[in-house]
Amino acid sequence: TDGSTGLRLAIDELNGSDSKYRYIIFITDGEDNQYTYSYDSLIAEAAKDNIIVYTIGMGSASESILKKVANGTNGKYYHATTSDVHADDILDLGDVFEEIASETVDLTTDSNKDG
């Protein structure tokens, strides 16, 4: 697994965007066994460009890297499962998406004043 390549591609997609809100949801189920890009440089670039990265680790994901990416970009880290069995620190993947949506989607502000 080389998560740095996936994160690089996602940042590239958002670079130059004039969108007010820019988020990446970075999901992995493995441990990185190679790094094409430095996570430190990716974190710095995302933070500079106001790109917030939410990371979701499943299985044996590299929690230390995912937490570092999330914290460095003002995002959050989640450890998730696809089963309905809940432990204190493991959330169902559907619950994680709902929580991220509640933090990133503003349903109350009428920015274009169209009612």
Side-chain angles (χ1 to χ4, degrees):
T1 301
D2 182 359
S4 70
T5 299
L7 191 55
R8 168 84 269 154
L9 291 169
I11 290 171
D12 287 346
E13 284 293 317
L14 293 174
N15 275 339
S17 169
D18 58 358
S19 178
K20 182 177 178 181
Y21 303 105
R22 298 188 287 173
Y23 302 102
I24 294 171
I25 299 175
F26 182 47
I27 304 171
T28 183
D29 65 351
E31 294 184 33
D32 283 2
N33 54 20
Q34 69 180 40
Y35 304 92
T36 303
Y37 303 96
S38 157
Y39 276 104
D40 289 336
S41 64
L42 293 171
I43 292 165
E45 183 178 348
K48 176 183 70 73
D49 293 333
N50 296 317
I51 298 171
I52 297 171
V53 183
Y54 288 87
T55 59
I56 303 171
M58 301 180 71
S60 63
S62 302
E63 284 191 346
S64 62
I65 291 172
L66 296 175
K67 287 177 181 179
K68 183 177 181 179
V69 170
N71 292 335
T73 62
N74 292 318
K76 285 187 178 177
Y77 165 75
Y78 300 92
H79 185 100
T81 180
T82 55
S83 72
D84 291 331
V85 177
H86 292 272
D88 289 340
D89 61 342
I90 298 176
L91 301 173
D92 180 85
L93 190 56
D95 293 340
V96 172
F97 287 136
E98 285 182 32
E99 189 166 330
I100 292 171
S102 72
E103 292 183 21
T104 60
V105 178
D106 181 2
L107 299 175
T108 59
T109 302
D110 184 6
S111 59
N112 64 357
K113 310 286 189 246
D114 67 353

